[in-house]
Amino acid sequence: MSKKIAKSPDIRSGRFAFVPFCLFAQAFQAKGLVRDYPAQITPVVEALMASGVNIIQMPCPESRLAGLAREPHGYKWYDQDAFRSVCEQAAGETVEMMKTILVKGYSVAVVIGVELSPSCSVLRQFDRRRGQYEQSGWFIQALRHQMRAADIKAEFIGINRRFPNKTAEKIRAFLS
Ligand code: SF4
């Protein structure tokens, strides 16, 4: 008589975090900007992993426009039609992925950005003349707009690159 082997239960998480491409691949950053973590921003990655969310990398709009190891440019430089259409396309791909997730009954828990990035910042930009000022990046603007149109809601948290442990604490607190 053959014994039935009990199947172990499916324990998958139904929560998703959407993260900037460079969180896992710092080589996608513009020249001169990678100073603390050579490949992954470890405290933020560890906080996400400890929270048990599925992690989806969003496209990197700047590298789509200007390639890897490009010169760094500010918010105004990226104010160009070609870049806006790159951001719209990247936001569209991201929202399609979100819809695929939501239709299965899973949830989009959080979208992670990168503060001071002309593309991926959630709250703040930097300008030599003005210092820091409130303005989200071009990609995040396009993403928020397309998420609103699709009635998708999620928390946005921006990575503070100087103090990534603070961002990690925020993520842990939000996802716990
Ligand atoms: S555009 Fe966004 S994903 Fe690409 S390197 Fe800059 S912050 Fe990272």
Side-chain angles (χ1 to χ4, degrees), residues 21-42 60 62 68-72 114 161-162 164:
F21 196 89
C22 64
L23 174 63
F24 286 103
Q26 286 289 286
F28 272 61
Q29 279 282 358
K31 276 185 199 165
L33 299 186
V34 179
R35 300 205 179 92
D36 299 310
Y37 298 95
Q40 292 84 37
I41 305 178
T42 320
C60 171
E62 289 179 24
L68 302 190
R70 62 204 166 273
E71 294 300 326
V114 180
R161 276 180 288 186
R162 278 191 70 197

Side-chain angles (χ1 to χ4, degrees), residues 93-157:
E93 290 167 25
T94 306
V95 166
E96 282 310 308
M97 177 66 84
M98 289 175 172
K99 286 180 185 169
T100 305
I101 284 162
L102 293 168
V103 95
K104 280 280 170 204
Y106 300 147
S107 65
V108 178
V110 67
V111 176
I112 307 289
V114 180
E115 291 308 341
L116 309 186
S117 157
S119 314
C120 298
S121 84
V122 173
L123 293 173
R124 284 188 303 277
Q125 295 293 323
F126 175 78
D127 183 289
R128 269 197 203 133
R129 208 165 36 84
R130 297 167 69 183
Q132 289 194 23
Y133 61 98
E134 267 185 39
Q135 175 66 67
S136 59
W138 294 109
F139 171 63
I140 294 294
Q141 288 174 46
L143 182 60
R144 276 191 162 131
H145 184 252
Q146 292 197 36
M147 284 173 67
R148 257 197 309 274
D151 200 22
I152 299 172
K153 294 179 185 69
E155 180 78 7
F156 281 71
I157 295 176

